[in-house]
Amino acid sequence: MIILRRKACASALAIAASCLGLAPARAEVIQVINHYTVGGSDIEGLKDSIRQGGPLGGRAFGLTNVIIEPHFAYLWDGVTCQTADVRVNLDINMTLPQWQEAIPIPASMSGQWETLEDTVRQHEMTHVQIAEEFATRIEQLILGSSSANGCENLNATLITKIKELQIAHRFAQKAFDMDERPRLQALLP
């Protein structure tokens, strides 16, 4: 298991925020990569090991769970309410297959295993890219938002719009999986 912690600023957002006189956005990205062990002396053995140890009860080769957590405060100057201290964190938990270290990969299936491993990793990393895109969209929505109708009004508006983006994020992730399904299923016919 690898745990990566990084604090990042989206550069375009940081520049835009500084031009507007706002504090730059801060985001923490926590990524945890877990592995499940696969092996086998042939393709059927590999399929069995995926069914036994893979995510979703062996129905998936890999899995990425993402939580997008927006954090922000409000500033009220008596006339206008605006957002402040904007931060959109990402918590990413990825599960990937890993060949059993003690058993060498049979020569007859090494190419197929490498293709499977690379394709699953690329697929799961695309889920991360989709999540990063939506985290940026949520951050852009929140940054510089203001209302002359008070902070309660601004809060209600932002909560509604954030929920809409979170729903769109889930839809984009599911649509990507649907598009990828034939390619992934072809890896181990």
Side-chain angles (χ1 to χ4, degrees):
M1 171 174 36
I2 300 169
I3 299 177
L4 302 172
R5 291 181 191 266
R6 61 183 155 117
K7 292 192 180 196
C9 285
S11 57
L13 290 176
I15 293 167
S18 65
C19 290
L20 295 171
L22 302 171
R26 302 173 319 277
E28 184 176 71
V29 178
I30 299 172
Q31 183 170 340
V32 177
I33 301 174
N34 298 296
H35 292 93
Y36 67 96
T37 303
V38 298
S41 58
D42 57 16
I43 295 301
E44 287 307 313
L46 176 58
K47 287 180 187 180
D48 287 342
S49 70
I50 291 170
R51 280 192 285 267
Q52 290 173 10
L56 302 176
R59 294 187 320 271
F61 296 135
L63 183 68
T64 299
N65 288 312
V66 177
I67 298 172
I68 300 173
E69 298 178 36
H71 300 276
F72 54 96
Y74 296 103
L75 291 176
W76 173 251
D77 65 6
V79 177
T80 303
C81 181
Q82 68 179 20
T83 56
D85 299 323
V86 178
R87 186 176 77 247
V88 179
N89 295 337
L90 279 172
D91 187 357
I92 302 162
N93 192 320
M94 187 182 301
T95 303
L96 298 169
Q98 179 174 301
W99 193 268
Q100 231 174 340
E101 289 182 20
I103 301 171
I105 301 168
S108 64
M109 55 188 268
S110 67
Q112 197 164 8
W113 161 248
E114 289 168 4
T115 300
L116 175 93
E117 182 181 34
D118 290 344
T119 303
V120 171
R121 184 176 311 280
Q122 290 169 357
H123 174 89
E124 298 308 324
M125 288 307 298
T126 302
H127 280 299
V128 172
Q129 291 170 348
I130 293 167
E132 288 172 340
E133 174 190 322
F134 275 90
T136 299
R137 288 173 65 183
I138 289 170
E139 186 175 55
Q140 289 172 339
L141 166 72
I142 299 168
L143 276 172
S145 290
S146 64
S147 173
N149 296 324
C151 292
E152 287 183 18
N153 181 276
L154 179 57
N155 184 59
T157 300
L158 284 176
I159 296 288
T160 299
K161 290 180 178 181
I162 290 168
K163 285 182 180 177
E164 289 170 359
L165 282 172
Q166 288 172 329
I167 290 168
H169 170 242
R170 284 191 293 276
F171 179 80
Q173 296 285 11
K174 288 179 183 179
F176 171 66
D177 276 337
M178 294 300 289
D179 288 345
E180 284 276 283
R181 180 170 282 145
R183 182 173 82 105
L184 293 172
Q185 287 176 338
L187 292 171
L188 290 178

